[in-house]
Amino acid sequence: MTENAEHAESVEHTEPAELAEGAERTELAESVERTEPAELAASSERTEAAEPAEPAASAERPGVGRRRFLALLVAAPTLTVAVQLDPQAAPAAPLPELPDLGDVLNLAALPTSHLLTLKVAEDGTVDFWLPREEVGQGLTTAVAMLVAEELDTPLEKVRVHLDKARPELVFNQLTGSSNSIRSLYDPVRTAAAAARQRLAWAAALQWGTDPERVTTRDGRAHLADGRSASYGELARAASSDRAAEQPVALKPRAAHRLIGRPTSRIDARALVTGKQQYTLDLDIPGAKPAMVRRPPTLRGTVRRVRNAAAVEALPGVLAVATIPTGVAVVAETFGQALAGKEALDVEWGPGPVDELDDETLRAKLRGAVAHGFPPLLGRHLDAEFDFAPVSHAPLETNCAVADVRDARATVWAPAQSPIAARKAVADAIGLPDALVELHVVQAGGSFGRRLFHDAAIEAAQVSKAVRRPVRLMWSRIDDMRHGRMRPPTHHKLRATYAAGAPLSFRHRMASVAMDVRHGFGDALTAGLTGLPLLGEATAQVMFALSLRSPYDLGATRQTLTELPVALPTGSWRSVYSGTGRAAEEMFVDELAERLGQDPVAFRRARLKTAAQRAVLDKAAGGWGRELPEGWAQGVGFHEEYKSRTACVVDLDATDPKAPRVMRAVIAVDAGRAVNPRGIEAQMLGGLTDAIATTLRAGLHLDKGLPLEGSYSQFHYARQRNSPYEVQVHVLDGGPEAEPGGIGELGVPAPVAAIANAYARATGRRPRSFPIDARIDFEPFPR
Amino acid sequence: MPDQTFTVNGETVTVDAPDDLPLLWVLRDLLGIRGPKYGCGIDVCKACTSHLDGEAFNPCATPVAAVAGRSVTTIEGLADGDRLHPVQEAWLEQDVAQCGFCQPGQIMAAVALLKRTSEPTDAEIDEIANVCRCGTYVRIREAIKAAAARM
Ligand code: FES
Ligand code: FES
């Protein structure tokens, strides 16, 4: 990132002061003006004509598909505000003409949006309870920015807590589909704006003046005569002894000082000092380490433990307990639990896919779309692509802490779907839901994995069996072999063309069925009421909502065929697009070549909107530059979740067996960019995922189990695979833009860019991913 | 069980643990020092990276008996009270961490590298094998260079 995005560079100059001295409101405003990212400036040019001075009325803009939220004062000793959907203003909220997955989930979440709570304490600290999970995507930081912005208080004053499972939130506690900021942008700002107005009111009351004369800045209320009071001092006076509506006016965009400003993570210091507490770092009194010995094949069963007593006698081992998924060993330390688990002698029953291997699976997937396209005489291009399954492999392995007593259970886990998790735990240990409390803990990565709560269920089962609290952890080997995986896919694509122009485009995707239960399915069904998709299988709905071609390629049709194979699958960052859209982007390159056109020019001519072209142009600024022998550039584009991105990579394939991405330029328009620095981080993550899954990282299935058992075998990218130079350009989506999704956006474009660069460098189009799928290791014993 | 005596973050500790118990679990489960993370247990992911007598090592693959009488530093022992180590400062400036789970190990690896060479080359930085599943490598590289410049 030596030549990083302009905004990142400008951050370097202005940020230390901010970090060191706390966000001084006035200074922030100044530095924003000084350092306004060149791109923001440039792109507002693009839309300037459409930007009138924002009228005051636009502070509350109910129109343009925006829904209104009501703020309520909550009876409490210090100022406490809750937000709900305005029942008057809640129309049969029309979905946009082409809804995406996030739109539908947001709609499902709407009726319960009133349960966001914000509290101002007497020391001026602002506590906000977030019904979402932080997995490293920087959500708590973005939310704290929204709060600090509307409340006119320094970012450091805002504390964001991850809410425990709250069943009354129904569909409003699911972290997925890149929809968190999209769904929270308005209600969070409403809560903070209401609190600010109430504080101003309390100050006015104290000073015997009009609330309109009170200004707020830096966590204080001010009057022109010099009087001022801190929010802490006002928090009690601003509180209410009964529930009451609080009118709200949101800041107009032009007044934003923090939103849109590259901002570092609020938890960064905890993260670099080792103080951040993940699930297994929590000090739960008496909770002992537990690990589970798992069957030699996926979803195999336990028949009998032959040596339980001998294992229980090992040093440090406290108990052995059989649970449905394996045999647990509880010990004084994880080292001893691990040794105990390895010493177990278990008779295993078969699982549902014991015979399954890569070749059989591949043949099935190909077979599923074998008769996809009829023979054709006219001019056409056909291509096929395969993607291997990949492990989510978050660095923190699957884990949970559970304390199950006779009449209640408490569980701590990294959970993206905590309501479903709580219910699953209750069912598994035979308690009514109401007696289970599930705390959401910040996760050490997810990529989709924490939508599943298997570790929480296991921890509860073990705790119940051994009658003591346990800290349950999966070994890395188990995490990779028995965890979830992105399902393997096969893609068949066809374009017809005449006179140098495409006439039609078809994509038939075959995938092992993706497990999308655990909260997703129900939320989708709820959000879909009244849509023609209602009644379709969840996966079909998700596919229809997520896989879209941004190009005009003539009559376009994309279909998904799912194979019911009992593999433990799950959505993996970017769901269907990481494979599906990536395959399409490779195909577009091939089509351009067939038609004798440059890949960037061809895309540009076929993209549908000016915003799409702006992103492509920005990323392709250095397209065609001189490169050493054996190197080549590749391009990819992707649009989803109301955001769009393009990526150009320079690939060194001098040794075709060891290609390396040396440089990447990424442009991204995520609508209203709440935190450009966080968006950049997400794009860097997507790029690294792309490098890994395109070039070297994939699972091999053999006799019903992945061979890969650690990072020495599943080749996720390391520093030596990472480019020396990356530029991320965060474009602004224009004055009317709302935030788009960002967490999953960044994978498909660089996957395609890398594959396309590889094809141009070597003259060979890769058809199967990862390109290098060699097995260069001796698998661990099962 | 034998007593094991060594120094952690400047303090001498004695724990009752079998000789072959990996140090990672002595730190995390017996001493409550939970900055070093488990990511693989077999010296592959490097999430547990800490220092032994000033050099990077991996406590998941080091039996506790091997550190008897020696000095262990974990991420918790890197800062000088409230004053962060320049590498930690550089990490803040570049806003490196995403989920953060690998970062204690990344930082300890970077500190060890900068001890060996004050101006690491790209090739030397490439040799840091710590996995970052969130893909923060680009910012890690920048942070190491920034820290080198600052030190
Ligand atoms: S846990 Fe020590 S190297 Fe992975
Ligand atoms: S920051 Fe998540 S693994 Fe590195």
Side-chain angles (χ1 to χ4, degrees):
Chain A
M1 266 190 330
T2 36
E3 288 172 42
N4 205 344
E6 284 82 332
H7 67 77
E9 269 178 17
S10 56
V11 158
E12 273 170 20
H13 306 305
T14 56
E15 193 144 282
E18 181 198 346
L19 283 176
E21 289 154 36
E24 286 284 332
R25 240 317 134 74
T26 43
E27 274 193 27
L28 267 183
E30 274 170 29
S31 52
V32 159
E33 271 163 35
R34 273 208 312 277
T35 63
E36 171 132 63
E39 261 112 22
L40 292 183
S43 56
S44 61
E45 258 168 50
R46 176 158 63 85
T47 44
E48 208 154 47
E51 186 176 22
E54 283 216 44
S58 80
E60 279 183 282
R61 286 180 307 155
V64 228
R66 169 156 287 177
R67 295 162 197 104
R68 298 180 59 184
F69 292 89
L70 276 190
L72 296 174
L73 297 169
V74 176
T78 68
L79 174 59
T80 307
V81 175
V83 162
Q84 74 169 39
L85 182 71
D86 182 347
Q88 315 278 291
L95 280 167
E97 219 164 288
L98 270 180
D100 63 27
L101 198 48
D103 286 322
V104 173
L105 290 176
N106 290 350
L107 197 54
L110 266 180
T112 55
S113 298
H114 62 288
L115 297 165
L116 296 178
T117 309
L118 180 152
K119 189 180 110 202
V120 180
E122 283 176 275
D123 62 355
T125 303
V126 182
D127 289 291
F128 181 81
W129 284 268
L130 177 67
R132 294 288 187 279
E133 168 68 312
E134 170 68 57
V135 297
Q137 80 279 43
L139 178 61
T140 51
T141 301
V143 166
M145 289 170 70
L146 300 182
V147 170
E149 177 74 78
E150 286 294 343
L151 201 42
D152 281 336
T153 205
L155 191 59
E156 297 75 10
K157 290 279 188 189
V158 183
R159 286 193 307 216
V160 178
H161 311 276
L162 304 177
D163 228 340
K164 65 180 180 181
R166 293 172 57 203
E168 74 278 14
L169 293 180
V170 196
F171 302 122
N172 201 2
Q173 200 173 7
L174 182 75
T175 309
S177 299
S178 303
N179 86 332
S180 291
I181 285 295
R182 291 178 66 190
S183 59
L184 294 168
Y185 187 61
D186 282 350
V188 171
R189 289 187 305 143
T190 300
R196 191 197 68 80
Q197 271 164 263
R198 179 76 175 176
L199 288 160
W201 169 86
L205 202 67
Q206 247 173 43
W207 298 330
T209 184
D210 225 33
E212 272 79 81
R213 310 181 82 105
V214 176
T215 57
T216 51
R217 179 163 29 94
D218 288 338
R220 300 184 73 85
H222 300 269
L223 203 57
D225 66 6
R227 276 184 284 179
S228 92
S230 73
Y231 285 176
E233 288 159 359
L234 295 166
R236 194 170 270 277
S239 71
S240 178
D241 53 9
R242 65 191 172 87
E245 193 187 330
Q246 168 69 44
V248 172
L250 296 180
K251 269 189 197 175
R253 178 186 162 137
H256 285 172
R257 295 165 172 193
L258 198 49
I259 295 176
R261 177 187 164 81
T263 302
S264 288
R265 288 277 296 268
I266 55 170
D267 45 357
R269 197 176 169 102
L271 294 168
V272 305
T273 51
K275 295 211 168 78
Q276 178 67 42
Q277 288 198 317
Y278 302 89
T279 298
L280 295 176
D281 302 334
L282 298 172
D283 252 319
I284 308 300
K288 295 294 182 186
M291 296 187 82
V292 177
R293 173 75 179 268
R294 294 172 202 283
T297 56
L298 285 166
R299 295 177 165 169
T301 55
V302 184
R303 284 211 172 116
R304 188 165 73 87
V305 183
R306 297 194 185 98
N307 64 343
V311 171
E312 272 174 343
L314 290 174
V317 173
L318 301 167
V320 171
T322 297
I323 57 172
T325 45
V327 183
V329 178
V330 182
E332 291 292 346
T333 67
F334 277 110
Q336 290 158 325
L338 184 61
K341 146 182 145 84
E342 272 161 13
L344 279 171
D345 182 5
V346 183
E347 187 187 325
W348 302 102
V353 290
D354 286 5
E355 301 309 317
L356 199 67
D357 59 36
D358 279 335
E359 267 167 54
T360 328
L361 201 52
R362 195 53 58 207
K364 280 189 186 197
L365 285 167
R366 285 168 183 274
V369 290
H371 308 293
F373 304 141
L376 203 62
L377 295 175
R379 288 173 178 276
H380 67 280
L381 174 70
D382 283 351
E384 296 185 43
F385 299 96
D386 289 311
F387 288 84
V390 292
S391 168
H392 293 85
L395 203 59
E396 174 193 38
T397 58
N398 211 10
C399 60
V401 179
D403 183 356
V404 179
R405 307 285 166 99
D406 287 340
R408 64 171 182 83
T410 315
V411 177
W412 295 260
Q416 281 172 255
S417 188
I419 299 171
R422 173 176 173 269
K423 177 156 182 25
V425 166
D427 289 351
I429 55 175
L431 275 183
D433 297 7
L435 299 180
V436 177
E437 193 162 68
L438 189 129
H439 298 279
V440 177
V441 188
Q442 190 157 330
S446 170
F447 319 102
R449 181 66 178 92
R450 318 289 183 187
L451 284 164
F452 299 90
H453 21 265
D454 34 6
I457 296 169
E458 287 183 345
Q461 287 167 331
V462 176
S463 174
K464 181 179 176 179
V466 305
R467 309 180 134 271
R468 59 158 86 222
V470 298
R471 305 159 62 211
L472 182 132
M473 179 178 86
W474 286 36
S475 73
R476 171 59 59 195
I477 297 176
D478 287 348
D479 198 82
M480 229 166 240
R481 284 180 154 177
H482 291 272
R484 296 275 160 172
M485 62 181 86
R486 178 174 82 181
T489 57
H490 178 72
H491 306 259
K492 221 171 150 149
L493 299 101
R494 167 176 286 179
T496 61
Y497 56 90
L503 299 174
S504 72
F505 169 62
R506 289 207 56 184
H507 177 183
R508 292 204 63 182
M509 172 168 173
S511 171
V512 167
M514 177 119 66
D515 188 342
V516 290
R517 295 165 301 163
H518 307 287
F520 252 127
D522 293 342
L524 271 179
T525 311
L528 282 172
T529 315
L531 271 193
L533 289 164
L534 183 64
E536 295 279 343
T538 305
Q540 290 294 344
V541 172
M542 288 182 64
F543 180 80
L545 293 175
S546 58
L547 204 76
R548 301 240 168 81
S549 172
Y551 303 108
D552 180 3
L553 297 172
T556 295
R557 193 167 141 74
Q558 294 139 309
T559 50
L560 170 71
T561 304
E562 281 209 304
L563 236 61
V565 180
L567 286 174
T569 59
S571 56
W572 192 100
R573 199 180 201 171
S574 79
V575 199
Y576 294 108
S577 303
T579 54
R581 278 287 303 130
E584 292 184 1
E585 286 293 312
M586 298 175 204
F587 185 70
V588 163
D589 252 47
E590 212 169 336
L591 185 57
E593 184 185 71
R594 172 70 64 89
L595 300 176
Q597 296 177 33
D598 171 79
V600 170
F602 181 77
R603 279 180 175 79
R604 202 172 190 292
R606 300 276 147 202
L607 284 172
K608 291 173 185 163
T609 69
Q612 293 172 335
R613 286 188 290 273
V615 162
L616 177 66
D617 289 348
K618 189 71 196 179
W623 182 251
R625 74 195 190 115
E626 195 87 28
L627 291 175
E629 179 81 22
W631 293 38
Q633 286 186 309
V635 62
F637 179 90
H638 182 56
E639 181 172 67
E640 197 169 9
Y641 312 107
K642 306 282 184 283
S643 303
R644 50 210 63 83
T645 180
C647 172
V648 168
V649 301
D650 295 1
L651 187 81
D652 174 359
T654 320
D655 175 0
K657 288 204 162 63
R660 179 170 182 178
V661 175
M662 298 305 286
R663 180 175 187 264
V665 182
I666 295 169
V668 53
D669 164 4
R672 177 64 168 140
V674 173
N675 183 5
R677 201 166 211 201
I679 291 173
E680 183 194 86
Q682 287 304 296
M683 302 315 286
L684 293 174
L687 172 66
T688 312
D689 280 356
I691 290 170
T693 58
T694 309
L695 295 177
R696 197 63 183 97
L699 297 178
H700 296 83
L701 290 165
D702 181 50
K703 295 197 187 66
L705 194 74
L707 292 179
E708 283 77 5
S710 200
Y711 295 110
S712 48
Q713 306 176 349
F714 175 68
H715 296 292
Y716 191 77
R718 310 272 180 117
Q719 186 65 266
R720 65 173 179 277
N721 310 112
S722 183
Y724 288 155
E725 189 197 335
V726 180
Q727 297 174 33
V728 179
H729 302 277
V730 180
L731 275 61
D732 187 75
E736 293 301 323
E738 294 190 29
I742 200 68
E744 300 169 280
L745 179 74
V747 177
V751 166
I754 296 165
N756 290 336
Y758 188 87
R760 288 156 57 96
T762 63
R764 267 178 292 130
R765 287 203 179 273
R767 297 289 174 198
S768 180
F769 300 93
I771 292 173
D772 180 356
R774 271 174 307 142
I775 298 169
D776 57 353
F777 56 88
E778 187 60 45
F780 295 110
R782 296 189 176 220
Chain B
M1 262 187 283
D3 277 352
Q4 313 283 349
T5 300
F6 56 98
T7 310
V8 191
N9 300 331
E11 249 180 71
T12 303
V13 294
T14 299
V15 289
D16 194 15
D19 286 351
D20 60 352
L21 186 63
L23 178 67
L24 180 62
W25 307 116
V26 172
L27 295 171
R28 287 188 54 88
D29 297 339
L30 301 181
L31 297 170
I33 298 170
R34 292 178 175 171
K37 303 296 184 228
Y38 167 88
C40 71
I42 53 168
D43 200 6
V44 160
C45 77
K46 312 288 180 186
C48 64
T49 304
S50 300
H51 294 175
L52 183 59
D53 296 330
E55 277 180 44
F57 85 121
N58 291 91
C60 72
T62 308
V64 60
V67 305
R70 302 175 70 182
S71 172
V72 175
T73 308
T74 70
I75 186 74
E76 286 95 336
L78 189 60
D80 179 4
D82 271 351
R83 237 195 41 240
L84 296 184
H85 187 281
V87 169
Q88 288 169 310
E89 290 285 0
W91 246 246
L92 291 185
E93 264 168 47
Q94 302 295 329
D95 201 28
V96 173
Q98 290 191 24
C99 84
F101 203 79
C102 73
Q103 301 299 347
Q106 302 280 7
I107 290 169
M108 295 307 276
V111 171
L113 172 66
L114 290 171
K115 251 188 199 166
R116 290 200 308 276
T117 161
S118 57
E119 268 180 76
T121 61
D122 275 322
E124 283 168 328
I125 295 174
D126 277 354
E127 279 165 27
I128 295 182
N130 294 50
V131 173
C132 176
R133 177 60 187 84
C134 297
T136 64
Y137 299 116
V138 177
R139 285 184 177 177
I140 288 175
R141 184 184 301 277
E142 287 306 303
I144 292 176
K145 290 182 177 172
R150 177 191 292 246
M151 283 160 78

